[in-house]
């Protein structure tokens, strides 16, 4: 329902993206040069969860990095290949699907110390502005809501390509990164180390590997 609401807002934008040309009908994967086919990007796209990752990393005990991801999420992109500033995105993550490959740690992350998944079953992101900063690089600013607290974040995005795969499905890719301070969203649990310092870093690295398929 939340995703449907966010998607509806995107579809009601003042200027609807120019429809993309029909994809080639030949079989076999085919890629396109981003510099000459920006019009191909225009349209609405849905995340392919089976080929996408929404992940995070945090420093543990100040000496190593622990990584995790969310196994349940939905997302959309509304792209305008010729005017990137009109592009947008929305994501809904199901918090109970957090996975760090350690069951005890996952249970702790689901508890009230961190995500409190029983009270707050979703994390949402809704973009507010997109800026092209390089040939294939973009910055997308938007509102990230965790535990009913909303703060702006900026995601650095790398466009990795557009392909029509062997099944005739148009597929687009982006890699994204952002760094946030978890305390802004009331994710404040920590423990002091005997040698000084904190068990879990305040800064969290967000990582996105997105494969999306054309929605219309």
């Amino acid at each position: 329902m939340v995703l449907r609401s966010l998607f509806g807002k995107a579809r009601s934008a003042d200027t609807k993206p120019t429809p993309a040309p029909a994809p080639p009908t030949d079989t076999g994967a085919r890629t396109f040069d981003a510099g000459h086919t920006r019009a191909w990007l225009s349209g609405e796209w849905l995340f392919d969860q089976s080929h996408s990752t929404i992940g995070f990393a945090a420093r543990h005990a100040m000496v190593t990095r622990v990584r995790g991801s969310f196994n349940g999420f939905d997302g959309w992109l509304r792209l305008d290949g010729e005017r990137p500033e009109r592009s947008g995105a929305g994501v809904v993550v199901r918090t109970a699907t957090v996975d760090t490959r350690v069951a005890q740690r996952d249970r702790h992350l689901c508890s009230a110390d961190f995500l409190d998944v029983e009270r707050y079953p979703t994390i949402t992101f809704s973009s507010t502005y997109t800026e092209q900063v390089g040939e294939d690089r973009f910055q997308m600013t938007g509102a990230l809501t965790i535990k009913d607290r909303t703060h702006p974040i900026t995601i650095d995005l790398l466009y990795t390509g557009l392909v029509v795969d062997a099944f005739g499905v148009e597929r687009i890719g982006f890699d994204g990164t952002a760094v946030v301070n978890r305390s802004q969203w009331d994710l404040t649990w920590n423990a002091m180390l005997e040698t000084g310092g904190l068990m879990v870093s305040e800064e969290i690295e967000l990582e996105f590997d997105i494969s999306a398929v054309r929605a219309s």
Side-chain angles (χ1 to χ4, degrees), residues 95 111-117 119-120 122-123 145-150 185-188:
T95 53
S111 75
D113 283 344
F114 286 101
L115 295 171
D116 199 357
V117 301
R119 294 181 60 193
Y120 307 103
T122 61
I123 294 170
T145 300
I146 305 174
K147 297 175 71 172
D148 282 352
R149 290 165 171 78
T150 302
W185 290 273
D186 193 31
L187 303 172
T188 57

Side-chain angles (χ1 to χ4, degrees), residues 170-198:
E170 286 185 272
R171 187 177 296 276
I172 196 169
F174 288 92
D175 288 344
T177 59
V179 177
V180 300
N181 188 312
R182 62 189 176 92
S183 63
Q184 288 186 284
W185 290 273
D186 193 31
L187 303 172
T188 57
W189 182 92
N190 227 322
M192 293 294 299
L193 301 173
E194 291 184 5
T195 54
L198 298 173

Side-chain angles (χ1 to χ4, degrees), residues 122-137:
T122 61
I123 294 170
T124 63
F125 171 82
S126 182
S127 67
T128 55
Y129 183 72
T130 303
E131 179 182 11
Q132 185 169 1
V133 295
E135 177 63 24
D136 294 326
R137 295 186 178 276

Side-chain angles (χ1 to χ4, degrees), residues 7-64:
F7 203 8
K9 291 178 182 178
R11 294 178 65 93
S12 64
D14 291 339
T15 303
K16 189 172 183 177
T18 304
T25 57
D26 57 325
T27 59
R30 179 175 173 185
T31 57
F32 300 88
D33 185 330
H36 299 91
T37 59
R38 294 297 185 191
W40 276 84
L41 308 186
S42 297
E44 295 165 347
W45 305 77
L46 296 177
F47 287 16
D48 177 0
Q49 182 178 312
S50 63
H51 294 94
S52 301
T53 301
I54 295 179
F56 57 90
R59 281 284 175 187
H60 176 259
M62 302 181 66
V63 296
T64 191

